[in-house]
Amino acid sequence: MTSAPDPQAPDAAPSGRPPRRHGADLTRAIHLATLAELADTSLEELSFERIAARAGAGKASLYRRWSTPAGLLLEALTDPVSGFGDPPPPQPRTGSLRTDLVRLLGAFADALDRPHGRALRPLLAQRARHPELYAEVYRRVVLPHKEILLGVLGAAVERGEAGPGALGVRTAATAPRLVIAAHMEHGTVPQGEVEALVDEVLMPLFTAGGGGNVPGPEERSTMGA
């Protein structure tokens, strides 16, 4: 014979509903719901009501913690668990430009398949309509990852493995743009496709020695997506 559940237990929930989440579990559910909601809709449609419904949380808990959906979005994008992390992961240093690029772009392709990557795409597409929000996303998410790529290319230039043109503004931007374009076309970018992009496009480009103007430190910090 089994005893009935205690209705006064702190985490008791009505039949058929999951137990209430608290602390880090609730925060992660809200972060993931925010990213998924943006990926499925648009910035104009992003609201606490829709996020709360998707997360299975009360609207009041969101209003108490965040002043705007945009602020919640920024937190979700930079969260080390649900987002891109702040700061980003360390720069690969294998001593081989090809291996560094495959690892770096493979991780980027994998991120685009996850909630934070899927949420980044509408942000990039809608940045002209939301310049202040995008500027903050650029500063906290895009720019740190661009600096990692420039670090990889700079190290290859110092080793003599790549020409100085690899650090050109347009040349360096080719790498993430190729991955984004492939992801938009195919819905995902498998490892074999990443390696093909590196071998057939990026390595010939970066080792050719050309590639446009070479930015100084201040110019690099303002490079657009």
Side-chain angles (χ1 to χ4, degrees):
M1 181 176 179
T2 59
S3 59
D6 180 5
Q8 301 301 319
D11 288 330
S15 177
R17 296 185 186 176
R20 285 183 243 170
R21 287 168 293 200
H22 303 279
D25 287 342
L26 176 60
T27 299
R28 183 168 187 269
I30 292 172
H31 284 170
L32 291 174
T34 302
L35 298 171
E37 186 66 27
L38 176 58
D40 289 346
T41 59
S42 67
L43 282 165
E44 286 80 6
E45 297 172 275
L46 193 66
S47 67
F48 284 146
E49 288 77 9
R50 298 181 71 144
I51 295 168
R54 188 181 283 253
K59 290 185 292 184
S61 64
L62 276 69
Y63 280 103
R64 282 195 300 266
R65 295 179 60 181
W66 296 279
S67 58
T68 64
L72 170 54
L73 174 62
L74 283 170
E75 183 178 303
L77 281 170
T78 56
D79 183 76
V81 177
S82 61
F84 286 93
D86 188 8
Q91 171 184 324
R93 297 179 181 274
T94 66
S96 162
L97 175 58
R98 181 190 184 277
T99 305
D100 285 350
L101 288 173
V102 167
R103 289 189 180 183
L104 188 63
L105 297 179
F108 182 47
D110 179 68
L112 291 177
D113 284 336
R114 299 178 182 274
H116 54 288
R118 293 195 297 270
L120 185 63
R121 281 177 48 182
L123 276 170
L124 294 174
Q126 301 169 28
R127 59 183 175 180
R129 298 203 299 270
H130 304 274
E132 293 184 2
L133 174 60
Y134 179 74
E136 191 64 16
V137 171
Y138 178 83
R139 183 182 70 83
R140 297 176 60 179
V141 176
V142 179
L143 181 59
H145 287 80
K146 283 194 170 184
E147 292 296 336
I148 293 175
L149 175 59
L150 287 171
V152 165
L153 296 174
V157 171
E158 291 177 1
R159 293 194 301 267
E161 195 178 357
L167 295 174
V169 172
R170 288 168 293 279
T171 307
T174 301
R177 287 174 177 171
L178 282 174
V179 176
I180 291 172
H183 194 276
M184 293 182 70
E185 182 178 357
H186 303 294
T188 190
V189 187
Q191 183 68 14
E193 180 66 15
V194 171
E195 293 180 4
L197 291 173
V198 170
D199 291 337
E200 297 173 19
V201 182
L202 296 176
M203 286 300 292
L205 179 65
F206 293 150
T207 58
N213 55 308
V214 179
E218 292 185 1
E219 187 178 3
R220 287 185 207 173
S221 68
T222 59
M223 287 171 61

